[in-house]
Amino acid sequence: MVKDLDSLIRTGDWQKAEARLRRLARERGATASVFYNLAKVLEAQGKGAQSGAWLRRAVASDANHANAWFELGRWLVDQGAPVSEAAAAFGQAAKLMPDDVDSWRNLARTALRAGQWPRALEAAERVLALACEEAEALAIAARAAAEARDQAAAADYAGRLAARGDAGALWLKTLTRSSAGSLPLHSPRL
C-alpha cells in the first residue's frame, strides 16, 4: 500500500494519492506523515486552503515533525494568519532543523513583522552564520537591532549590508523602516 502510494506521488497522480491518503488518515493510529503528505497532495492540486487542518494534525500527532512545522508556517503566511503564529511555527521548524537556512530565514522574516526584535535578530544571526553575509539577513539584523535600541549592532549590520555593494536599495529600505532608533545616515558604498 505504501509502495503504491509512493508511486502515485512520484507520478503526480494527485487524485488517487489524495483518496489513498484520506483512507489512511481515517485509520486508527494514522501517523503524522500521512497527515503531512495529505496536506502536500492537496497543495499540489491547488487545494492549499485545506492543507492547514492536516498540517495541524501532523504536528499534533508528532511535535517533532519538522517539515510539518515549516509547511504550517508557510500555510499560515499564505492564509494571512497572525504573523506571530507563523513565527511560532517557523521557530519550531528551526529548533528541530538547526541547520536549515529556510526555517531560520522565515523565522527572521515573520518575527520582524511581528515586532519580536530579539527573536528576529537571533534568527537573522543564525542565517548569517549558515549562509554568509546574506543581504536580507543583514537587513533584518540591522532593523531588529535598531528597533531594540542597540545602535552599535544596528550600525555594524547596516555597514556590512552597505559594504556588499549590491544591496543599495535594501540598505536604504532598512534605513527608512527603523522606527525606534536610527541607523547610520551614511553608507560607504551607495
Side-chain angles (χ1 to χ4, degrees), residues 112-190:
L112 182 72
R113 289 186 185 117
Q116 300 170 352
W117 314 127
R119 193 169 196 203
L121 181 57
E122 176 188 1
E125 287 175 340
R126 188 60 184 248
V127 172
L128 292 170
L130 294 169
C132 297
E133 298 300 292
E134 182 181 272
E136 182 183 11
L138 286 166
I140 291 171
R143 171 131 183 249
E147 297 290 359
R149 301 199 187 321
D150 184 345
Q151 295 309 307
D156 175 59
Y157 290 119
R160 287 163 57 187
L161 177 61
R164 285 179 48 92
D166 64 348
L170 185 56
W171 183 89
L172 189 57
K173 180 179 177 182
T174 301
L175 175 68
T176 60
R177 289 258 170 107
S178 176
S179 64
S182 61
L183 295 175
L185 293 177
H186 65 282
S187 169
R189 283 196 212 169
L190 261 188

Side-chain angles (χ1 to χ4, degrees), residues 10-26:
R10 223 179 7 264
T11 60
D13 192 342
W14 304 126
Q15 289 180 333
K16 287 183 182 174
E18 178 186 352
R20 179 75 41 84
L21 285 162
R22 284 188 184 277
R23 258 182 297 195
L24 290 170
R26 285 192 298 269

Side-chain angles (χ1 to χ4, degrees), residues 54-68:
W54 295 106
L55 292 167
R56 288 183 194 279
R57 284 186 69 180
V59 298
S61 173
D62 179 4
N64 292 318
H65 199 299
N67 288 329

Side-chain angles (χ1 to χ4, degrees), residues 94 97-108 123 126-127 130:
M97 300 183 293
D99 293 332
D100 183 53
V101 176
D102 287 333
S103 294
W104 288 106
R105 184 182 298 113
N106 281 295
L107 174 56
R126 188 60 184 248
V127 172
L130 294 169

Side-chain angles (χ1 to χ4, degrees), residues 39 42 47-58 72 75 79:
L42 289 167
K47 301 176 183 178
Q50 297 176 33
S51 297
W54 295 106
L55 292 167
R56 288 183 194 279
R57 284 186 69 180
L72 179 59
W75 182 84
Q79 297 302 307

